[in-house]
């Protein structure tokens, strides 16, 4: 049986959740917008432009395009935490690559941000495919990204396992018909209850867990 492993990026392969929250926090503070944990969580796993569209009323006179560009600009701030892989991510990806498992990244982020990060972590060449925010009409929790990856890899979703750290990502994976492993790096395990299995990080992932016989 042919298998595929489909990975979300931020919070799943790369520990970027703290960077993302810091960037959105800087945006809110720059515009005097009150924020709390629940507001920050609405951005988790989703395309930033879509979430900003839902919160545009908090930024009188602003546009989604301008606000998103401003938020992205904060990622270059030296005050943000550095990029680092989720524990076990590099080792798992290298192992799966050595076993001939087909792999793709399916992310709500932009390709221009995804590719340099994967190169920085020496994982880029192990993935056959990247499905980025600009490659789909509908972001997570819609299953379009995972269905597109499965189709391009020519592996049915039922033979794929998805790794996700957010509730909307888990919902997208399950709606696509894939097995999903929740990675509780940015959310508590109880937020990922729809996943088939939940791990603390990728050091806990084993071959039987991914593809049970």
């Amino acid at each position: 049986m042919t298998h595929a492993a489909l990975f979300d990026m931020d919070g799943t392969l790369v520990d970027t959740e703290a960077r993302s929250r810091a960037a959105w926090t800087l945006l809110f503070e720059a515009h005097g917008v009150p924020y709390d944990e629940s507001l920050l969580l609405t951005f988790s796993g989703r395309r930033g432009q879509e979430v900003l569209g839902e919160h545009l009323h908090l930024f009188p006179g602003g546009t989604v395009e301008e606000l998103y560009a401003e938020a992205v600009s904060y990622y270059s701030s030296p005050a943000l935490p550095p990029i680092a892989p989720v524990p076990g991510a590099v080792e798992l990806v290298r192992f799966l690559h050595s076993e001939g498992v087909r792999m793709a990244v399916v992310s709500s982020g932009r390709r221009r941000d995804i590719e340099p990060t994967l190169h920085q972590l020496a994982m880029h060449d192990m993935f056959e495919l990247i499905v980025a925010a600009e490659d789909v009409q509908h972001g997570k929790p819609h299953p379009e990204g995972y269905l597109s990856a499965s189709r391009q890899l020519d592996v049915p979703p039922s033979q794929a396992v998805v790794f996700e750290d957010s509730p909307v990502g888990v919902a997208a994976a399950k709606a696509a018909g894939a097995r999903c492993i929740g990675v509780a790096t940015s959310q508590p395990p109880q937020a990922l209850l729809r996943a088939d299995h939940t791990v603390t990080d990728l050091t806990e992932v084993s071959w039987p867990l991914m593809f049970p016989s």
Side-chain angles (χ1 to χ4, degrees), residues 13-81:
L13 282 174
V14 188
D15 187 8
T16 54
E17 189 65 21
R19 290 174 58 82
S20 296
R21 291 189 178 212
W24 292 119
T25 296
L26 288 171
L27 178 70
F28 298 142
E29 291 178 345
H31 291 265
V33 175
Y35 63 91
D36 56 18
E37 181 68 11
S38 62
L39 179 58
L40 291 172
L41 281 174
T42 63
F43 288 86
S44 182
R46 298 182 60 197
R47 296 192 293 188
Q49 298 96 321
E50 290 181 346
V51 186
L52 278 172
E54 296 171 3
H55 298 315
L56 196 57
H57 63 282
L58 299 175
F59 302 88
T63 68
V64 169
E65 292 75 18
E66 291 169 345
L67 292 166
Y68 184 70
E70 181 181 346
V72 169
S73 72
Y74 294 132
Y75 278 88
S76 61
S77 170
L80 264 63

Side-chain angles (χ1 to χ4, degrees), residues 147-163:
L147 291 173
S148 176
S150 294
R151 182 172 60 253
Q152 293 183 68
L153 293 177
D154 196 26
V155 176
S158 61
Q159 295 179 19
V161 62
V162 170
F163 294 87

Side-chain angles (χ1 to χ4, degrees), residues 63-150:
T63 68
V64 169
E65 292 75 18
E66 291 169 345
L67 292 166
Y68 184 70
E70 181 181 346
V72 169
S73 72
Y74 294 132
Y75 278 88
S76 61
S77 170
L80 264 63
I83 293 173
V86 166
V90 175
E91 294 80 2
L92 176 61
V93 169
R94 287 177 177 170
F95 170 74
L96 295 177
H97 181 70
S98 71
E99 293 290 326
V101 176
R102 307 188 72 179
M103 291 186 291
V105 170
V106 180
S107 173
S108 297
R110 304 176 303 171
R111 185 178 301 273
R112 60 186 287 186
D113 300 320
I114 297 168
E115 291 190 338
T117 300
L118 290 177
H119 276 297
Q120 182 178 338
L121 300 178
M123 291 194 288
H124 184 275
D125 294 342
M126 300 181 196
F127 290 98
E128 295 184 45
L129 175 69
I130 295 172
V131 179
E134 60 266 35
D135 298 323
V136 298
Q137 292 294 316
H138 306 288
K140 301 169 186 177
H142 197 282
E144 181 183 352
Y146 286 117
L147 291 173
S148 176
S150 294

